[in-house]
Amino acid sequence: MSIEELTKLVAEIKTLRPEAILFLQQELISREETQKALNITNYLLSIKYHISESVLFDYITKLKKKGFSETEIDKDLEEKHGIDKNYSQLIKSNLNSKGKENIIIGLAMIIIPLVFGIILISLNAFIGIFPLLLIGIGIWRLNKGLLQRKVNNKIKTTSHTI
């Protein structure tokens, strides 16, 4: 590729896979395009602090399963993702809210299709697979919500014992 084509890739860096970014940066360095390679580094450092809540929820859950205390989780989030203690507490609070939300949605997705299914069966009507899919998704959401609440309760319990 020409330098112009590589420069276009740098401009479109958000669309590249992580391994492609590494190769792009290495190629720029080998062609002595140091400033463009540094621009990639600056971009990567700036996105370090932009991580989605769902990824944070999963990350906190993983740390909790490993037995990390709330203090250790806060320290890890700050060191690895630049998240301060206040924002960390907000994320943990949102984790509990999402847990409640998933439990409610899960229960609704289980109960409503069951009620309609029973009504349809009593009328000798065809049920189909759609209610079963809704029930399956409902069970998944209910399970996810219970896990989120369990993790959040462990975080609260750990913080009160520290």
Side-chain angles (χ1 to χ4, degrees), residues 6 20 23 27 32 43-45 50 60-61 66 74 86 96 119 121 125 131 137 139 148 150 157 162:
L6 293 174
F23 290 123
E27 185 62 27
E32 298 182 9
Y43 168 74
L44 294 174
L45 288 172
H50 301 289
I60 291 170
T61 302
K66 288 182 176 181
D74 290 342
N86 292 333
N96 190 40
I119 292 170
I121 288 174
I137 294 170
I139 291 170
Q148 288 170 328
K150 181 180 174 184
T157 303
I162 292 176

Side-chain angles (χ1 to χ4, degrees), residues 64-65 149-159:
K64 238 12 228 163
K65 285 180 181 178
R149 297 259 333 255
K150 181 180 174 184
V151 167
N152 194 55
N153 287 338
K154 282 185 181 179
I155 292 170
K156 285 181 182 177
T157 303
T158 306
S159 69

Side-chain angles (χ1 to χ4, degrees), residues 46-63:
S46 74
I47 64 168
K48 174 184 176 185
Y49 301 105
H50 301 289
I51 186 168
S52 72
E53 263 190 20
S54 64
V55 172
L56 282 174
F57 289 164
D58 292 342
Y59 187 67
I60 291 170
T61 302
K62 184 178 95 175
L63 293 177

Side-chain angles (χ1 to χ4, degrees), residues 23-155:
F23 290 123
L24 174 60
Q25 191 172 37
Q26 288 174 342
E27 185 62 27
L28 289 169
I29 291 169
S30 71
R31 295 186 189 195
E32 298 182 9
E33 293 289 331
T34 314
Q35 187 56 48
K36 290 175 183 162
L38 285 174
N39 289 344
I40 292 174
T41 300
N42 290 336
Y43 168 74
L44 294 174
L45 288 172
S46 74
I47 64 168
K48 174 184 176 185
Y49 301 105
H50 301 289
I51 186 168
S52 72
E53 263 190 20
S54 64
V55 172
L56 282 174
F57 289 164
D58 292 342
Y59 187 67
I60 291 170
T61 302
K62 184 178 95 175
L63 293 177
K64 238 12 228 163
K65 285 180 181 178
K66 288 182 176 181
F68 280 52
S69 70
E70 182 176 2
T71 306
E72 292 170 325
I73 291 172
D74 290 342
K75 183 179 178 184
D76 186 87
L77 290 173
E78 186 167 0
E79 287 175 358
K80 293 185 179 173
H81 303 288
I83 296 172
D84 66 12
K85 189 173 181 175
N86 292 333
Y87 187 61
S88 175
Q89 294 302 325
L90 179 65
I91 293 298
K92 292 172 193 170
S93 174
N94 286 346
L95 178 62
N96 190 40
S97 298
K98 290 288 184 186
K100 289 178 187 176
E101 179 183 307
N102 281 324
I103 290 170
I104 292 168
I105 291 171
L107 287 173
M109 291 179 76
I110 294 169
I111 294 170
I112 294 171
L114 277 175
V115 170
F116 282 121
I118 292 169
I119 292 170
L120 290 173
I121 288 174
S122 68
L123 296 173
N124 293 326
F126 179 72
I127 296 174
I129 195 163
F130 185 68
L132 296 175
L133 290 173
L134 284 177
I135 290 170
I137 294 170
I139 291 170
W140 173 75
R141 291 287 297 257
L142 178 62
N143 185 44
K144 185 175 180 177
L146 291 172
L147 178 64
Q148 288 170 328
R149 297 259 333 255
K150 181 180 174 184
V151 167
N152 194 55
N153 287 338
K154 282 185 181 179
I155 292 170

